[in-house]
Amino acid sequence: MFAQEFMRNALITGSFVGVACGVVGYFVVLRAQVFAGDALSHVAFTGALGAAAFGFDILAGLFIACILGGLLLGILGERARADDVIIGSLFAWALGLGVLFLSIFTTNSSAGNGTAGVRVLFGSIFGLSTSDVRTSALLAVVACLLLLAIARPLLYASLDPAVAAAQGVPVRLLGLGFLIILGLVAAQASQAVGALLLLGLLAAPAGAAHRLALNPYRGLLLSTLFALGAVWVGLTLSYLFPTLPPSTMIVATAVGTYVLAIIASTGGVWHPRSADGIAGA
């Protein structure tokens, strides 16, 4: 497996994607912003379609749309923590705009561009070039460093925003910065697992970590390891069984990890809280 260049590129890129999603995903679940992550995943596809429809670089459109989407959510939300109404409105607007771009795209684009659009939707981790690997790695490192730099005050602001604000913590600025970082990670991960499956890699490993670790730093480490493990297991399964799509296997492994965490945290007994956790994730 390691002798194949496409697998080496996939494993390296997937590792950086997994680490970034694990680190950011922990705070996404902690701050109850899973819906925001879902909205940004659809914004990613809309941005890519818009760029393709008007002849621009697809990845550039994807990144710009995600970062601006995160910024918009932060500006509109109270203390940069958008509620369901704001997120849902952005979600609906992005989907409607996506339909328009899709109509322009399918009317004017060639079959080759159509294939590129499908790759953004479902991911193309086995088709990444060396340049894609370098770009993905750089963006993942930047996102992780930015998040780790604000991790301590962000944790405080996430657990008790009112007290944090009273203590002088810039709650709104932290929330805004976090949503921008989330947008960056959503864009970075979309090229690997696709816009539609991104949420599974953001939410499931982090949800499992929250169930298994009370200490936030242990939880952050577990979330990262679970996401990284999901990428490696998913890619290995897809390589051994070529009919299995890699993105699907990655997300299926991540969700399977969450289910196992539920079983481990409840002693094998199914509780209503467990079902609520799955619905939320």
Side-chain angles (χ1 to χ4, degrees), residues 9 27 29 31 56 61-62 70 77 84 157 161 166 168 170 179 187 190 201 235 257-258 270 279:
N9 288 342
F27 285 96
V29 174
R31 295 170 61 84
F56 299 108
L62 189 151
D84 287 348
L179 285 172
S190 292
L201 196 57
L235 289 177
T257 302
Y258 181 64
W270 187 265

Side-chain angles (χ1 to χ4, degrees), residues 112-190:
N113 284 334
T115 300
V118 171
R119 286 183 175 180
V120 174
L121 187 60
F122 297 104
S124 57
I125 195 166
F126 280 164
L128 299 177
S129 65
T130 304
S131 175
D132 294 329
V133 173
R134 285 195 292 264
T135 301
S136 182
L138 176 62
L139 293 173
V141 170
V142 170
C144 289
L145 289 177
L146 288 175
L147 187 59
L148 292 177
I150 63 171
R152 190 177 181 85
L154 181 63
L155 180 64
Y156 190 14
S158 301
L159 294 174
D160 200 334
V163 174
Q167 292 291 327
V169 177
V171 174
R172 182 172 180 82
L173 185 61
L174 286 170
L176 186 62
F178 173 71
L179 285 172
I180 293 174
I181 294 172
L182 175 59
L184 178 63
V185 172
Q188 181 249 359
S190 292

Side-chain angles (χ1 to χ4, degrees), residues 199-201 204-205 208 230 249-262 278:
L199 183 62
L201 196 57
M249 289 300 97
I250 291 171
V251 175
T253 304
V255 174
T257 302
Y258 181 64
V259 172
L260 291 176
I262 291 176
I278 288 181

